[in-house]
């Protein structure tokens, strides 16, 4: 298969599991890699990464339940264990017994859960900026603030709460830059009219707490013999999810990789090529 064929040839499939239909794509040939997106991402998040990797790997991308082409049947809930089982179901449906796993943000936690409870399907994990704040020394302060933000979602609206969360975590939703307190204060009065973040209601009320309460069992991952690389963007190193990535590396005794850019730079055309090169280096160490 030529590089061009690997990049352009995509097989789309689906698997019905635990009440929902999960849609996935497979491209390329070679050692299997499963790419796990964060929220509210779907397979398209890895659009700039999956193609180049498919030149010499079998690359699996998918839409998590409730996003993209996958269904969201009621009762809709979010649980890391189920998310990991969905990935196992996708791999099985794609005819893949074992794969390298690359997860970013929420997907990074799913990768850690796979390494913990499904080590038989995991050949190694690259976990990029997982929101595992319980590993941080200031976790009590962070979790208290997150609980306040959760209450805000129900009392003042999910979009206002979402901007509070972005301010706390310093995620780069502001043209690649974190919001300042002054910017969030100016946005909050009209937050419910801000377009493009309709996912905020589900995220703030149903995903935020499971994600930020998740505590990976790093000792068990080591006992399972799953090789791990933790990484964060260069611009994230001193921010909450850069610090969590460092904590995973230190707790697991794993290498730490510094990626270009910030939390979302894997989908930025200006950094995606360098991001993919860094990922290749991380994968080579597994």
């Amino acid at each position: 298969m030529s590089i061009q064929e690997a990049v352009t040839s995509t097989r789309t499939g689906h698997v019905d599991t635990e009440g929902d239909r999960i849609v996935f794509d497979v491209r390329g040939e070679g050692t299997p890699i499963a790419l796990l997106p964060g929220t509210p991402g779907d397979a398209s998040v890895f659009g700039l990464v999956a193609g180049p990797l498919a030149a010499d790997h079998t690359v699996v991308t998918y839409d998590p339940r409730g996003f993209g082409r996958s269904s969201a049947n009621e009762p809709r809930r979010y649980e890391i264990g189920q998310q990991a089982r969905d990935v196992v179901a996708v791999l099985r449906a794609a005819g893949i017994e074992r794969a390298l796993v690359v997860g970013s943000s929420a997907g990074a936690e799913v990768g850690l859960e796979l390494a913990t409870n499904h080590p038989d399907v995991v050949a190694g994990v690259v976990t990029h900026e997982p929101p595992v704040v319980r590993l941080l020394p200031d976790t009590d302060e962070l979790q208290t603030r997150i609980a306040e933000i959760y209450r805000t979602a129900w009392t003042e609206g999910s979009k206002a709460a979402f901007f509070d969360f972005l301010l706390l975590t310093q995620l780069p939703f502001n043209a690649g830059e974190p919001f300042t307190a002054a910017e969030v204060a100016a946005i909050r009065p009209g937050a419910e009219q801000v377009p493009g973040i309709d996912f905020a209601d589900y995220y703030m009320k149903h995903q935020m707490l499971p994600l930020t309460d998740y505590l990976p069992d790093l000792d068990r991952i080591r006992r399972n013999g799953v090789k791990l690389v933790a990484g964060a963007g260069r611009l994230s190193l001193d921010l909450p999810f850069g610090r969590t990535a460092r904590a995973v590396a230190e707790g697991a005794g794993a290498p730490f990789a510094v990626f270009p850019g910030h939390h979302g730079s894997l989908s930025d055309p200006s950094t995606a090529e360098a991001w993919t090169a860094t990922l290749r280096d991380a994968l080579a160490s597994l």
Side-chain angles (χ1 to χ4, degrees):
M1 177 179 287
S2 70
I3 291 176
Q4 183 63 30
E5 287 173 331
V7 170
T8 58
S9 177
T10 301
R11 174 170 65 86
T12 297
H14 68 265
V15 59
D16 295 321
T17 181
E18 298 188 31
D20 274 299
R21 173 163 290 188
I22 312 299
V23 179
F24 61 88
D25 301 308
V26 182
R27 70 195 82 184
E29 292 181 355
T31 301
I33 298 178
L35 303 179
L36 284 49
T39 295
D42 53 30
S44 65
V45 167
F46 288 101
L48 298 176
V49 175
L53 287 178
D56 52 359
H57 292 85
T58 298
V59 178
V60 180
T61 55
Y62 75 108
D63 296 347
R65 61 177 62 223
F67 294 97
R69 300 158 295 175
S70 296
S71 66
N73 293 318
E74 297 296 340
R76 189 179 178 194
R77 61 190 179 90
Y78 189 88
E79 192 266 316
I80 299 296
Q82 184 183 59
Q83 295 289 316
R85 294 191 299 274
D86 286 349
V87 175
V88 174
V90 164
L91 291 175
R92 294 289 183 257
I96 295 171
E97 294 185 2
R98 200 161 181 255
L100 295 165
V101 171
V102 179
S104 183
S105 194
E109 287 194 352
V110 177
L112 292 170
E113 178 68 11
L114 286 165
T116 302
N117 288 312
H118 305 276
D120 56 313
V121 304
V122 178
V125 175
V126 178
T127 181
H128 178 261
E129 299 199 23
V132 285
V133 298
R134 289 182 64 185
L135 291 178
L136 298 178
D138 53 342
T139 183
D140 289 345
E141 177 183 346
L142 287 167
Q143 287 191 294
T144 297
R145 184 71 188 105
I146 288 167
E148 293 170 348
I149 292 170
Y150 177 73
R151 180 176 60 191
T152 296
W154 292 95
T155 59
E156 299 180 40
S158 294
K159 290 185 178 180
F162 182 64
F163 283 103
D164 291 343
F165 181 76
L166 293 181
L167 180 61
L168 176 69
T169 57
Q170 291 291 278
L171 290 174
F173 269 68
N174 185 24
E177 297 289 336
F179 282 102
T180 66
E183 288 170 329
V184 169
I187 292 169
R188 284 184 96 261
E192 293 304 315
Q193 282 70 53
V194 174
I197 55 171
D198 291 340
F199 66 88
D201 192 62
Y202 181 68
Y203 181 79
M204 300 312 300
K205 294 177 179 178
H206 301 286
Q207 285 187 285
M208 179 182 66
L209 293 185
L211 285 169
T212 56
D213 192 51
Y214 180 74
L215 181 64
D217 190 338
L218 300 178
D219 288 336
R220 185 171 176 185
I221 291 173
R222 283 199 301 270
R223 292 196 304 272
N224 286 342
V226 178
K227 292 184 178 181
L228 180 70
V229 174
R234 187 173 300 279
L235 299 178
S236 301
L237 295 178
D238 295 326
L239 303 180
F241 297 158
R243 293 168 56 216
T244 56
R246 181 77 73 177
V248 168
E250 292 174 354
F256 183 77
V258 179
F259 284 77
H262 49 65
H263 191 76
S265 287
L266 65 97
S267 56
D268 183 340
S270 68
T271 52
E273 183 176 355
W275 200 97
T276 304
T278 302
L279 175 60
R280 282 187 175 275
D281 289 341
L283 290 167
S285 70
L286 293 173

